[in-house]
Amino acid sequence: MFSLMANCCSWLKRWREPARKVTLVMVGLDNAGKTATVRGIQGESPLDVAPTVGFSKVDLKQGKFEVTIFDLGGGKRIRGIWKNYYSESYGVVFVVDSSDVQRIHETRDTMAEVLRHPRIAGKPVLVLANKQDRDGAMAEADIIENLSLEKLVNENKCLCQIEPCSAVLGYGKKIDKSIKNGLNWLLNNIAKDYEAITERVQRDTAEQRVQEDQDKKERAERVKRIREERDRQEREEAEKAGREIKEEESEDADMSNPFQPINHIVAENENKSKQETEMKKQGEEVVQDGKEEEEEEEEEEESERQTPESPESGPTDQTKKKMKKIRLKRKNRVDPLVTDDAAKSPTPPPAPAHAV
């Protein structure tokens, strides 16, 4: 009876425990099958997988754990970023291509570099000997021997488990049992020492942040020194050439504020509109003056045509027609010249009176 009650209490206690958050890093050479393995664990098809450029992040629920897996690219140029993820990892999944015999020594050197890192040493490691479905794949014993696995894990005090598997044979509930068993082994060993690993992760993460801040400051100082050295060289060259150097003002002083108050913009628009209306008015006045002058000239010509012509006044009218009136703009006139012929021409005699 008491044992039953104790079992119920322990079960209830485990059931009420919050899910533990665990971060894992999955590493290995390129084309080892890391992304296919992650997709199989996640429940997606592992077929037609493109090479990982950089890294990919996968979140999944595995029993009482909330697992985050960082799938890191395995190319030579990308392996340098692996160390940036070691501080927050609780364990390591190292994927090996069992069929790639030619690169087995490169795999050994890469694994040794990973396990010897101070932020990985002592953490549990799962080795997945992938691609066992291919012809010529190495057996578990051969992989252990070629990788010098026993020596590496003993030197770095890492718990290690190797699982021969094939990631493309299934996914989800039908995933290769070796992958599932290996993942359960890794999470159970993390759970046994979860508090200590969590404390170590927090400490390593804080140290890494401090180191990153220090690296940023050092880079900024290097850039500053390079700029100062370059400016000094430019000044010396300019002094040798006899040219004056204008000191560069601060960017804040040079940079004009692109955001102006709305009142200034409204005032500028009003001034522009006033200038445009004044220009239009001046243009209309000029056009109106021209029209008035043309109308006056037309009226004068019409009045001249309407005056009766007599045979006696022939020479005088002809001289008047030949005469031109000189005009200036804005109704300024010049009186016509008086010719001698017009002055000498006698006035016409009065008409004879009719007898009544």
Side-chain angles (χ1 to χ4, degrees):
M1 185 68 179
F2 291 103
S3 62
L4 180 61
M5 291 294 294
N7 292 333
C8 291
C9 292
S10 61
W11 177 84
L12 184 61
K13 184 178 180 181
R14 287 196 303 269
W15 180 72
R16 288 184 176 181
E17 285 181 356
R20 293 179 172 180
K21 295 182 179 181
V22 173
T23 301
L24 304 176
V25 290
M26 183 171 288
V27 294
L29 301 188
D30 52 309
N31 200 34
K34 298 183 294 299
T35 304
T37 303
V38 171
R39 293 186 66 174
I41 296 172
Q42 196 176 8
E44 299 179 359
S45 176
L47 301 176
D48 300 330
V49 176
T52 302
V53 179
F55 75 96
S56 62
K57 180 182 177 182
V58 176
D59 296 320
L60 52 92
K61 185 71 179 296
Q62 191 74 15
K64 58 183 178 180
F65 294 97
E66 293 180 359
V67 183
T68 299
I69 300 177
F70 285 106
D71 175 18
L72 306 180
K76 289 184 178 180
R77 297 182 179 179
I78 305 174
R79 294 174 199 169
I81 70 170
W82 290 1
K83 61 180 181 295
N84 298 330
Y85 298 88
Y86 291 164
S87 61
E88 54 185 321
S89 66
Y90 284 70
V92 179
V93 180
F94 199 101
V95 183
V96 179
D97 185 355
S98 304
S99 63
D100 194 355
V101 181
Q102 296 179 353
R103 302 179 69 188
I104 192 66
H105 296 294
E106 183 181 358
T107 304
R108 180 188 61 192
D109 296 338
T110 305
M111 180 180 286
E113 185 178 355
V114 173
L115 298 183
R116 288 170 183 166
H117 196 279
R119 289 174 180 165
I120 291 294
K123 294 179 180 179
V125 178
L126 171 63
V127 179
L128 295 178
N130 194 23
K131 301 185 181 182
Q132 289 291 319
D133 57 313
R134 293 190 178 183
D135 296 335
M138 291 179 289
E140 179 181 350
D142 296 333
I143 294 173
I144 294 173
E145 182 180 356
N146 287 311
L147 295 180
S148 302
L149 194 57
E150 292 183 0
K151 181 182 178 182
L152 286 175
V153 296
N154 290 328
E155 287 179 352
N156 299 287
K157 299 178 181 180
C158 297
L159 292 175
C160 183
Q161 176 81 3
I162 184 169
E163 291 287 346
C165 62
S166 180
V168 298
L169 294 182
Y171 58 93
K173 293 182 179 180
K174 296 182 180 180
I175 193 172
D176 191 340
K177 292 183 179 180
S178 298
I179 298 175
K180 187 176 181 180
N181 294 335
L183 187 60
N184 289 332
W185 173 88
L186 182 61
L187 294 176
N188 289 331
N189 280 276
I190 292 173
K192 291 178 182 178
D193 203 13
Y194 183 78
E195 288 76 12
I197 297 176
T198 302
E199 184 179 354
R200 179 181 174 183
V201 166
Q202 293 175 353
R203 184 176 63 252
D204 292 344
T205 304
E207 291 177 357
Q208 183 173 349
R209 289 176 182 174
V210 172
Q211 185 64 36
E212 289 176 354
D213 294 339
Q214 186 176 355
D215 293 340
K216 288 181 181 179
K217 291 180 180 179
E218 291 178 357
R219 285 197 298 270
E221 290 178 357
R222 285 199 302 270
V223 171
K224 184 179 179 181
R225 287 196 298 268
I226 291 171
R227 288 179 178 175
E228 291 176 353
E229 182 66 20
R230 183 182 59 191
D231 294 340
R232 186 183 62 79
Q233 292 178 358
E234 290 178 356
R235 288 192 183 92
E236 291 178 356
E237 292 176 358
E239 289 175 358
K240 290 179 181 179
R243 291 183 289 105
E244 294 182 357
I245 301 176
K246 294 182 179 180
E247 295 293 337
E248 295 180 358
E249 298 179 356
S250 62
E251 295 181 358
D252 295 337
D254 290 341
M255 187 179 296
S256 59
N257 186 9
F259 302 101
Q260 298 180 2
I262 190 65
N263 296 330
H264 295 178
I265 299 174
V266 172
E268 291 178 359
N269 293 334
E270 290 179 355
N271 294 333
K272 290 180 181 179
S273 61
K274 288 180 181 179
Q275 292 177 359
E276 291 177 356
T277 52
E278 290 178 358
M279 293 293 292
K280 288 182 180 179
K281 287 181 181 179
Q282 292 178 0
E284 291 176 357
E285 290 178 357
V286 172
V287 173
Q288 188 66 24
D289 293 342
K291 287 182 179 180
E292 291 177 357
E293 291 178 359
E294 291 178 358
E295 290 176 358
E296 289 179 358
E297 290 178 357
E298 291 177 357
E299 289 176 358
E300 290 177 0
E301 291 177 358
E302 187 176 355
S303 63
E304 289 177 357
R305 285 196 301 270
Q306 290 178 358
T307 54
E309 297 180 357
S310 61
E312 296 178 358
S313 62
T316 306
D317 294 337
Q318 291 177 358
T319 56
K320 288 181 179 179
K321 289 180 179 180
K322 293 179 180 179
M323 196 182 316
K324 295 182 178 179
K325 294 181 180 180
I326 302 173
R327 292 180 175 274
L328 297 175
K329 291 183 178 180
R330 301 189 181 276
K331 302 180 182 181
N332 294 327
R333 299 181 181 179
V334 177
D335 295 333
L337 298 175
V338 180
T339 59
D340 296 338
D341 295 337
K344 292 180 181 179
S345 61
T347 58
H354 296 281
V356 179

